[in-house]
Structure formats: C-alpha cells, structure tokens
Amino acid sequence: MPTSTVATGAKPLENMTYWQRTFGCQMNENDAERVAGMLEEAGALPVLTIEEADIAVFLTCCVREKADIRLMGQLASIKNIPPAHEEKRIIAVGGCIGQRDGELLHEQLEHVDVVFGTHNLASLVRLIKARIDTGLPAIETAEENEGFASSLPVRRDKPWHAWVPIMTGCDNFCTYCIVPYVRGRESSRTLEDIQRELSGLAEQGIKELTLLGQNVNSYGRDLYGKPRFAEVLAMAADCGVERVRFVTSHPKDLLTETIEAMAAHPTIMPQLHLPLQSGSDRILDAMIRKYEIAHYLELVQQLRDNIEGISLSTDIIIGFPGETEADFQQTLDVCEQVGYGQMFRFIYSKRSGTPAATMQQNATREELQNRFERLEAVAQASSLAENKREIGRTLDVLVESASKRDARVLAGKSPKNQTVHAPMPEGQDIDAFEGRIVKVRIEDATTNYLQGSLEQ
Ligand code: SAH
Ligand code: SF4
Ligand code: F3S
C-alpha cells in the first residue's frame, strides 16, 4: 500500500485495490453495492481475490449462530495472508456484527483495522483513510450518523437490477430475532425521496427493482402516522421499470390496499414473501408475531383470489423454545395447505440479548433433524408442484447469466421468481442476452428450476 501515493493522489484511496465479501440478507447486498460505489469513487479498484487487495471489506450477519462463527473463522484465517503491495492490508468489518460488537471486534482480532456499524456506511472511506494516516484502528457504530444508503454512490452487482431501500430498522422485536438490536428502529424515507430515486431508474437501464425493508408493510408509520406502503408500490409500478418486487412483508401488517395495488399493476410481479415462522398459534404467540394462523390463511386466500397464479414464499423456524411435536405438525399442515413456491427453513438459533434466549429449549438434536427433514420433503414437493404447473406456458424471463453447468444455456427468472434455463441459439453469446427479458416456452420442471426453449 503506497502511502505516499495516497497522500498526493487526487482521490483518498487512489491506486489502492479492494475486495469485499457479503453475508446475510438483501440489506447487506444493497449496502455492498454502495460500499463498492464509494470505494471506487474514492479511487480504489476492485480485484477478484483478497490476496490482491489492499482493502478487504466484510459485510456481516448475526441472525443465526452459524453465520457468526463462519465470519469469525474467516477473519481469523486471513490474518496471515501477505499484504498485496506494501505495509498492511486494511481489514474493514461492517454490517450487523460490526454494529453489535464494535470495539470488541478489534480487541478480539487485532488485525481488524476498521469497524463500521449499520448506520455508518457513509463514513467508510473516512475511516479507512484515518486508519491509513494514523495507523490506529478506526471504529464507528453510533446511530446518529445515519444517512440513507441510497444517497451514496452505487456500483450495481447486476446492472439491470436496483435495490431501493424504503426504510431501515425494525420495531417488531420478535422474541427470537437480533435484527432490531443491530439495525435500530424503523425509519422511513419520505415518499418524495423515494420518488426521486425511482424516476431515474428506467433511464439507467434498470429492468427490475426490489423495494427493501425489514417490514415494508409498515412503511411510513413513523413519518406519517399510518402505513403508506400501497402508495410506494403504486409509484414503483408506474416508474417505467418493467418488474417490481419487494421484501419483506410481515403478515400482521399486510393490508387489503397493498393486495389491491399488487392486483392493479401488472409490473408488480405475482410473487410474495410472507414469512409464516410457525404453524402453531401457541408458538406464534411466544414469538410475539402478533397474528394467528386463521388470519394468515385468510390473507393467503385473499391473495389467491385477487392475484392470479400468485406464488408465495416463506420463512420457517424449526425448534423455537417450547415447540412440541404437535406444534411442528401444525407447521407442516399449514405449509402443505398453502403450497409455497419456496420455503426458507431455519433451525432456531439462540441469540443472546433476545427474549427467547432465556426460554427453555426442549427438543433434542435428533428431533430437530427429523423435523428439518420432514419440512424439507414438504418444501420440495410443493416447489415441484408449483414448477410443474408452468409446463406448456410461455413465460417472460429476465436473463441473468449463463447457467453454471453449461455456458451454452441461459439462466434467468420468471415473474414468479423461478429459475428458468433455455439453450442459447447457435453462435450467440450470453452478453447479447444478459439483462434482457425474453420469452421462454416451458417444457420441463424440477424442484429447483424450469427448462424450456427461447421463442423468438
Ligand atoms: N424482517 C424479516 C426477517 C429478517 S430475518 C421478516 O420479519 O420477515 C430472516 C429470517 O431469519 C426470519 O424470517 C426468520 O425465519 C429467521 N430467523 C431470525 N432469527 C432467527 C433465529 N434466532 N434462529 C433461526 N432463524 C431466525
Ligand atoms: Fe426480526 Fe421480526 Fe423484525 Fe423480521 S419482523 S426483522 S423477524 S424482529
Ligand atoms: Fe443478517 Fe443483519 Fe440481515 S443480522 S439477516 S444481515 S439485517
């Protein structure tokens, strides 16, 4: 790392290289695009391996213990990789573990130079520069310094896809969840600010946008005294971008007006992630989810009645403290009844500081494994059933890349977010297709993807 060049260069990180690794949810994926944007604006160049990098940035997740352990292992193991150029590689850790652990991270792992919290993304370049100039660790996790990440420069991972954060934080405090402690209270952007960002996207070549928040359905409550998510959806639907998606929807706050907005706008994709967590009212109550299964099933019915062919996905926690075999059986029953296109399944992980951490866990390891496998069987059967229904249809597919298994096959996403594969015409290259919406006639389906042929 040539310090002298940094000092005389026009940009603070001129002539430096960076590499980053991102864990966790879409919030971090969005933040990673801003990190790349800021570092590149400051003069740094991206490289493909940590070995070549002067700066390594980790955006971390602590929602479950496994993610936590993995990061600590990775951070420890990079200590001995020789620096790319001169002096020392700068290791910067942000995201939810950065927020939670702050100074402790540097105390535990001395080679971590910079720690930035979930509210301090905008300070990253300044913190790196301070570390270079002073040789001292630079740590910032205060909440006051927040600015919406969308006002920061961005380098999009996929040039045709934009994340549009509409709010940060979470006020729900589900008893198992660490997110409200590391992402802070709900804070919504104004409708005008969101509109400003939306209005430029189509001209930038964006084909798909995803509105982001831990609970988008409560968007605006902090600003306007009542949720106004349906208005954001309508704005996004009319902004000229062909596909609109959003995550995540808490069932307790999903309003009829939101379902109506989805039904009224063909640009809003017929797909909804609606985390169930458990099929047992007793467990939902202990989780403080604030809805009952009867209400959840009414929502599902309303969605199916209003949005033709809508695909639903969900999150399920297995083995929340106190979950009995009977509770779990109810989860299986609800999942079978709903027929999800995709189910994300997690074994409960104790997060210290959350209310559930002090509750008694009673299921054995074998029981948890057995429940996991039974849920997996239901998940696979319902994904396969949903995918098979597409056979014979022609779908609009947003092409993302060549298939990992075969470079002559293109891979993309259907409106319902299913992965679709189709062979490329002879002699054509993936570059001609990436980021385009093409028509694919579906001929076959497996649990994980649809297979078809391009219709010209
Ligand atoms: N805001 C989103 C969820 C964010 S966390 C929502 O409410 O839908 C993503 C998922 O991780 C959650 O839906 C939950 O299923 C899972 N999760 C959160 N905390 C967990 C824990 N302690 N153990 C296991 N899974 C957990
Ligand atoms: Fe966690 Fe619940 Fe907030 Fe989702 S709604 S982030 S599960 S506390
Ligand atoms: Fe993980 Fe933080 Fe997202 S804990 S799930 S990266 S909000």
Side-chain angles (χ1 to χ4, degrees), residues 142-180:
E143 288 199 15
E144 324 47 282
N145 298 336
E146 174 140 55
F148 262 101
S150 53
S151 59
L152 301 173
V154 61
R155 189 173 62 74
R156 303 192 195 284
D157 211 23
K158 301 170 188 156
W160 63 87
H161 177 268
W163 301 109
V164 180
I166 61 169
M167 61 194 300
T168 56
C170 179
D171 287 353
N172 287 313
F173 291 93
C174 303
T175 53
Y176 49 81
C177 185
I178 192 90
V179 171

Side-chain angles (χ1 to χ4, degrees), residues 212-223:
L212 268 190
Q214 289 297 352
N215 177 13
V216 290
N217 293 329
S218 70
Y219 165 82
R221 193 177 271 147
D222 56 313
L223 279 185

Side-chain angles (χ1 to χ4, degrees), residues 286-305:
M287 289 174 163
I288 317 205
R289 287 290 287 178
K290 301 195 187 122
Y291 53 84
E292 293 184 345
I293 292 304
H295 176 67
Y296 187 97
L297 292 174
E298 277 167 24
L299 288 174
V300 169
Q301 195 54 50
Q302 202 185 347
L303 286 157
R304 297 224 188 273
D305 288 346

Side-chain angles (χ1 to χ4, degrees), residues 129-143:
K129 188 70 171 67
R131 167 63 182 78
I132 294 168
D133 291 345
T134 65
L136 298 169
I139 294 160
E140 190 174 293
T141 57
E143 288 199 15

